[in-house]
Every structure is written in structure tokens, then in C-alpha cells.
Amino acid sequence: MASSKDLAVFVRDALSAGKNRAEIASVLTQAGWSTHEITDALDGWADVPFAPPVPRPQTVVTARDFFIYALMFGALLFGAGYLVGLLHALIDHLLDASARTADHRIRWAVAVLIVTLPLYLWLATRERARLAADPALQRSAIRNWMTYVTLLFAAAVLLGDLVAVIYAFLNGDFTLQFALKALVVAGIAGGIFGYYRAGDGRGAAV
């Protein structure tokens, strides 16, 4: 049975022989290849009038990218979680006298943010400079995966926040304190989602 490598070789040879993409797609479809497989194989070669066929740049995966982006996005999500906790604790401190004994929550959240916020900003600034100097680095598969995982996480938090608001409203528990906490969650998760939804101004957006 032919493999995807055989398909790539066939497409390259067919393009070298002067066959157009519609002809190649037609015969591959007749041979039983799926539309997705055919599209991927054809997209591997630039649609430019040149012989031999010109390969398109491919995504790259490196151990270095995994370490840097896992650390950067981990610091972002970990810090964001504790920022929510800090703001919630401050809301409790201001609006609920019985919660004022929980100042350790504030101190712990501040300690976490002192570590994670500078770490994230340093890594993000460093990577932004690298991307500006070499745009080819935007093809990092790890970077794209981490971006979409972050988008998924932020979207899930936003949906959960919306469900909690609706439930509190239906249950008669929708207080000012709850509303402020829900706004904090929506603001932070929405900010992260919006920032990376736009591709950080440079990367791949949704």
C-alpha cells in the first residue's frame, strides 16, 4: 500500500512533468486518495511557474521550542489563575468582613505573581524579538499548538464563567460580590483569548 511519502513523490514528479493541479487531483481521487490527503500533498509545493517544483516551507518541531513555549504558556496560565485568586480575595476582603482572616490567600497569590509575571514577560519579549528577527520561526509547530491550547483553555473558562453566572441568577445567588468575581474571570480569560486570538499581532490566528 502506498504511503504519504509515495504520494508526495508522485505529486512532485507529476508537477515536474508539467501536469496541472486539477489533473493531478483528479487522478489521485480516482486512485482512492482522500481530498484531505490530496490537498496536503499539493500544498507541499508552491504554486509558482518554475521547474522543478518549489517546496513550501514546513513546520518545525524542536526540543528547545517545547521547553521555552511550555514554560512561557505555563507561566501565563498559572499566573492568570493566581491573579484571579488574588482579585477574588481582594473582593472578599472588601465586601465580606468574615473573609478578612484569609489574608494568606492574598500573600500567596502575590508571591506566585512575583515569580510568574516577570518570567512570562521576559520569555514573551525574548521570543517576540526572535520572531521579528527571523519570521520563519513562526512556523514552529510547538508554538502553534501551545497557542491553540491556551485559546482552548481560555474559551473553556469563559464558557464555565457564563454557566456559573446563569446558574447563580436562576438560583437567586447573583450578588454584587459574585458579579464582580465573574467579571474578573471573564476579563482575564477574555483578555488572554483576545490577545492570542489575534495571533499576538504576528503569529497564526484562528
Side-chain angles (χ1 to χ4, degrees):
M1 180 178 291
S3 65
S4 57
K5 183 177 180 179
D6 296 321
L7 176 61
V9 171
F10 171 82
V11 170
R12 181 198 62 193
D13 292 344
L15 290 171
S16 297
K19 304 297 183 181
N20 64 50
R21 291 171 180 258
E23 290 177 312
I24 297 171
S26 176
V27 297
L28 288 174
T29 299
Q30 294 174 32
W33 292 94
S34 70
T35 301
H36 176 73
E37 291 171 319
I38 296 170
T39 300
D40 282 350
L42 288 171
D43 285 347
W45 304 95
D47 191 7
V48 293
F50 189 84
V54 180
R56 292 184 189 274
Q58 300 297 309
T59 57
V60 295
V61 178
T62 67
R64 183 262 177 202
D65 282 352
F66 176 78
F67 173 74
I68 294 297
Y69 287 117
L71 183 61
M72 185 176 80
F73 284 100
L76 171 65
L77 297 179
F78 192 65
Y82 274 94
L83 178 57
V84 169
L86 172 62
L87 295 177
H88 281 190
L90 291 173
I91 291 171
D92 289 338
H93 188 82
L94 293 173
L95 300 181
D96 187 356
S98 64
R100 293 182 182 178
T101 58
D103 288 346
H104 67 279
R105 292 165 53 199
I106 297 176
R107 291 192 293 270
W108 182 258
V110 169
V112 170
L113 290 172
I114 288 174
V115 174
T116 57
L117 181 58
L119 176 62
Y120 170 76
L121 292 176
W122 175 66
L123 290 172
T125 301
R126 187 167 175 264
E127 291 307 298
R128 188 178 298 119
R130 290 182 73 245
L131 290 171
D134 185 4
L137 295 174
Q138 292 182 6
R139 295 196 298 272
S140 168
I142 297 296
R143 178 177 183 270
N144 292 334
W145 270 100
M146 289 294 180
T147 298
Y148 281 101
V149 167
T150 300
L151 285 169
L152 176 62
F153 183 84
V157 171
L158 285 170
L159 291 173
D161 191 48
L162 178 60
V163 170
V165 167
I166 294 173
Y167 177 80
F169 181 78
L170 295 175
N171 204 41
D173 298 328
F174 193 77
T175 62
L176 174 62
Q177 188 173 352
F178 181 90
L180 290 175
K181 289 183 176 182
L183 282 174
V184 164
V185 173
I188 294 175
I192 293 172
F193 185 88
Y195 185 68
Y196 284 100
R197 168 63 176 79
D200 186 15
R202 285 157 296 278
V206 175

